[in-house]
Amino acid sequence: MEIDEKQNPNPNSTTPPPAQIAPIEPPIPPPIAPIPRPLAPIPSVRPPNGETAKKTTEDAASDEDGDDSAPEYEVSEESRLFREKKEKAKQDFLMKQRAAALAVPTNDKAVRSRLRRLGEPVTLFGEREMERRDRLRMIMAKLDSEGRLDTLMKVLEEEEAAVNVEDGGGEDEGEVVEYPFYTEGSTALLKARYEIAKESVVKAAVRLGRARRKRDDPDEDVDAEINWALDGAKSFALDCSEIGDVRPLAGCSFSCDGKFLATCSLTGVAKIWSMPGVNSVSSLKGHAERATDVKFSPTNDQIATASADRTAKLWNTEGTLLNTYTGHLDRLARVAFHPSGKYLGTTSFDKTWRLWDTETGDELLLQEGHSRSVYGLAFHPDGSLVASCGLDALARVWDLRSGRSILALEGHVKPVLGISFSPNGYHLATGGEDNTCRIWDLRKKRSLYTIPAHANLISDIKFEPQEGYFLVTASYDMTAKIWSSRDFKPVKVLSGHEAKVTSVDVAADGQSIATVSHDRTIKLWSSKNAEKDKAMDVD
């Protein structure tokens, strides 16, 4: 083949081979320089008014003379709104900076006076002192930004100076008025505080001595005592049920010796029942409105009742009215006796709780502190402290010896309706509309345990009065429940009511529990341990 002969010539041939030609490489093209991208022209903003529009048109005309190919861009509505928002935020920030540098009176009276001179409302609905001062600050900053503050303030100062000269002087608006942080109490209150302090020291010493003995004495088996008490609580059963009134019942309370039970209802009548047969003894009639609570004195057979007629009354078991306590501005919620029996505490929807002398009927203390209605009240076993709870979802602990609020217990998310101190002196139980029962440790000043107790609100709560080995909660879910104070686990459910359970109480010996309900019935629950003890006594 021709191609083969050229590539592979015959060696026997006499024809000289042709000269080899070096292969020619194709030329490498030079690198192409990157083409620069044209810069984006400055967008032209279409202005809202005429003057700015004219200026923008002239700028656009000059741009067109310089570069005929530059296109025009319009700012979108969203961009314009964003720029306006940004500019407003900047102005607000500058306004706040200017306001922070202004001197504003700290006295509320001076603040009101300056607002009046500036022609502004002295106060707005629901406005507090600090909010009023901030409003004045912002008004002055606005006037400053408008350039009117200096002239206006000079005129106001001249007018005020003229008024002071005519009146022969006056109170300077910058003068600081010192307000007392306390309300001066009466001599009777001072005497009561001394007595409470003396008695509480003695009771606290006895309580602590008993606690040390249980801790150090090898013969004392606390766990065995708790187990025995809880076994008795597990055996609680319905012993008696009685119709208490023609209308729903609101409260119940055992006497100190357990021989009587007091109840009250929406008819405004309180009744005394003998135990354990729940037989009617007497009726306490005197309130003009529904009765909201009833309590037996811890030292005698006197009974205190609270009512929606804004009064509390003191009775004896025969139905004789002993005293009437008036002073609250709204209906009463609960009532509680001091452990000494000499003082009575009442809570009201006027956002206060009050302390009364049971003998004289004098109001010793009017205590504010809750932002909403005060509902529950409980005294410490030593008598030194009192705890209140209310519709502001807050519980407060007060020192009766000094009158100070020493602890605010925050944790509930809805109104707190029930509160009770444990006999051990350092546990406090609260229950409310959030369906939970919270256990607070006063030593640690915090919540120790939260019990998701019921399916509806908790209306009342009580510790077992001897040692506090268990506590009982009453609820609008028509049940009452017993809980262990050792691990706060459920022990027994007392079900039998056909409507909301409004109140509960535990007898002094811890062997009986009474509950009242909107179904108008009184139910008495007894422990089988009590029956065994009675059988042993008979033997």
Side-chain angles (χ1 to χ4, degrees):
M1 298 176 62
E2 186 178 354
I3 297 176
D4 295 340
E5 288 179 358
K6 290 180 179 180
Q7 294 179 356
N8 300 312
N10 187 1
N12 298 327
S13 174
T14 58
T15 305
Q20 294 184 357
I21 300 174
I24 300 174
E25 297 182 356
I28 301 174
I32 300 174
I35 300 174
R37 300 181 64 181
L39 297 175
I42 299 175
S44 61
V45 183
R46 181 168 296 176
N49 50 39
E51 295 180 358
T52 313
K54 182 178 179 181
K55 183 178 179 181
T56 308
T57 306
E58 293 175 357
D59 295 342
S62 62
D63 291 342
E64 289 177 359
D65 293 342
D67 187 6
D68 297 335
S69 62
E72 294 184 1
Y73 291 93
E74 294 184 1
V75 178
S76 64
E77 185 70 16
E78 294 181 358
S79 299
R80 185 179 64 81
L81 294 176
F82 176 75
R83 291 183 181 183
E84 292 178 357
K85 184 178 179 181
K86 184 177 179 181
E87 183 66 21
K88 184 181 179 184
K90 181 179 178 182
Q91 294 298 330
D92 292 342
F93 177 73
L94 294 176
M95 181 74 72
K96 290 181 180 179
Q97 270 191 336
R98 190 179 293 109
L102 294 174
V104 182
T106 56
N107 183 11
D108 186 60
K109 185 177 180 180
V111 171
R112 290 171 180 265
S113 177
R114 183 164 295 185
L115 284 171
R116 185 181 294 109
R117 294 191 182 98
L118 291 175
E120 298 290 337
V122 174
T123 184
L124 301 178
F125 180 75
E127 187 178 49
R128 299 182 180 179
E129 295 181 0
M130 294 303 299
E131 296 170 350
R132 188 179 303 112
R133 187 167 180 263
D134 292 339
R135 181 164 63 90
L136 174 61
R137 187 189 298 276
M138 295 306 297
I139 292 172
M140 294 173 62
K142 183 179 179 181
L143 294 175
D144 188 17
S145 64
E146 296 174 358
R148 296 189 297 145
L149 181 63
D150 295 336
T151 305
L152 184 58
M153 293 307 297
K154 286 180 181 179
V155 173
L156 294 175
E157 289 176 0
E158 291 175 0
E159 291 179 356
E160 185 179 359
V163 172
N164 290 338
V165 170
E166 292 177 0
D167 297 341
E171 182 182 359
D172 185 10
E173 68 176 18
E175 182 181 352
V176 178
V177 180
E178 295 184 0
Y179 295 98
F181 65 95
Y182 63 91
T183 302
E184 187 174 354
S186 61
T187 306
L189 176 60
L190 180 62
K191 182 180 178 181
R193 292 198 193 281
Y194 275 121
E195 293 180 357
I196 290 173
K198 291 179 181 179
E199 294 177 1
S200 63
V201 168
V202 176
K203 291 184 178 180
V206 173
R207 176 174 56 84
L208 293 176
R210 185 171 64 251
R212 293 190 189 98
R213 184 173 63 254
K214 286 186 176 182
R215 181 193 62 188
D216 300 334
D217 191 350
D219 296 332
E220 293 283 349
D221 192 348
V222 179
D223 290 335
E225 288 185 11
I226 296 177
N227 292 334
W228 182 86
L230 295 180
D231 289 340
K234 291 178 182 178
S235 65
F236 270 102
L238 182 60
D239 188 30
C240 182
S241 181
E242 182 70 25
I243 299 293
D245 209 326
V246 296
R247 294 197 64 190
L249 302 178
C252 65
S253 176
F254 279 106
S255 62
C256 57
D257 55 6
K259 295 181 179 180
F260 297 100
L261 176 71
T263 62
C264 65
S265 72
L266 300 189
T267 60
V269 178
K271 295 184 179 181
I272 309 298
W273 310 81
S274 62
M275 293 289 108
V278 194
N279 299 315
S280 179
V281 175
S282 61
S283 297
L284 314 178
K285 299 179 180 180
H287 286 292
E289 294 285 343
R290 63 186 184 276
T292 57
D293 196 20
V294 61
K295 284 292 185 298
F296 259 104
S297 171
T299 57
N300 50 43
D301 288 339
Q302 293 180 347
I303 306 106
T305 57
S307 172
D309 62 4
R310 307 178 186 180
T311 65
K313 295 181 182 293
L314 187 68
W315 317 75
N316 58 19
T317 52
E318 287 78 20
T320 304
L321 179 62
L322 303 178
N323 219 329
T324 301
Y325 310 98
T326 58
H328 280 288
L329 304 178
D330 206 340
R331 66 185 188 273
L332 272 63
R334 298 291 187 189
V335 65
F337 274 98
H338 187 267
S340 65
K342 300 178 182 178
Y343 312 104
L344 181 69
T346 57
T347 61
S348 172
F349 279 75
D350 62 4
K351 304 179 184 179
T352 67
W353 66 267
R354 308 192 185 204
L355 190 68
W356 311 82
D357 190 318
T358 55
E359 294 182 1
T360 62
D362 295 336
E363 178 186 300
L364 300 177
L365 176 66
L366 186 156
Q367 184 64 62
E368 298 175 335
H370 288 270
S371 61
R372 296 185 65 187
S373 304
V374 187
Y375 198 86
L377 195 71
F379 287 94
H380 192 276
D382 298 342
S384 56
L385 307 176
V386 60
S388 61
C389 62
L391 305 190
D392 55 358
L394 188 68
R396 286 188 176 274
V397 181
W398 310 83
D399 190 343
L400 286 174
R401 299 162 295 184
S402 63
R404 296 180 179 179
S405 173
I406 60 175
L407 197 59
L409 306 175
E410 300 179 0
H412 286 279
V413 296
K414 287 187 177 182
V416 186
L417 306 178
I419 192 165
S420 178
F421 275 103
S422 172
N424 61 22
Y426 52 85
H427 281 166
L428 177 68
T430 57
E433 289 188 9
D434 56 4
N435 307 347
T436 64
C437 173
R438 284 183 175 264
I439 309 298
W440 308 86
D441 194 327
L442 302 183
R443 302 167 299 180
K444 301 178 181 179
K445 299 182 180 181
R446 64 177 180 85
S447 176
L448 180 65
Y449 199 85
T450 301
I451 307 174
H454 290 272
N456 207 331
L457 66 84
I458 297 175
S459 56
D460 202 2
I461 185 169
K462 288 290 190 305
F463 270 98
E464 179 263 315
Q466 283 190 333
E467 299 293 341
Y469 289 148
F470 63 84
L471 68 152
V472 187
T473 57
S475 172
Y476 275 18
D477 63 2
M478 301 185 291
T479 65
K481 295 183 179 180
I482 304 175
W483 308 85
S484 168
S485 296
R486 179 169 53 187
D487 50 13
F488 307 108
K489 292 182 178 180
V491 176
K492 181 76 175 182
V493 178
L494 308 178
S495 58
H497 284 287
E498 299 176 356
K500 304 170 183 177
V501 182
T502 55
S503 183
V504 64
D505 197 20
V506 186
D509 58 0
Q511 302 298 319
S512 298
I513 297 175
T515 57
V516 294
S517 168
H518 276 194
D519 62 7
R520 302 172 298 148
T521 63
I522 307 166
K523 295 192 184 297
L524 185 65
W525 314 81
S526 299
S527 172
K528 292 183 179 179
N529 287 355
E531 298 178 1
K532 293 180 180 178
D533 293 342
K534 289 180 181 179
M536 293 176 64
D537 292 340
V538 171
D539 293 341

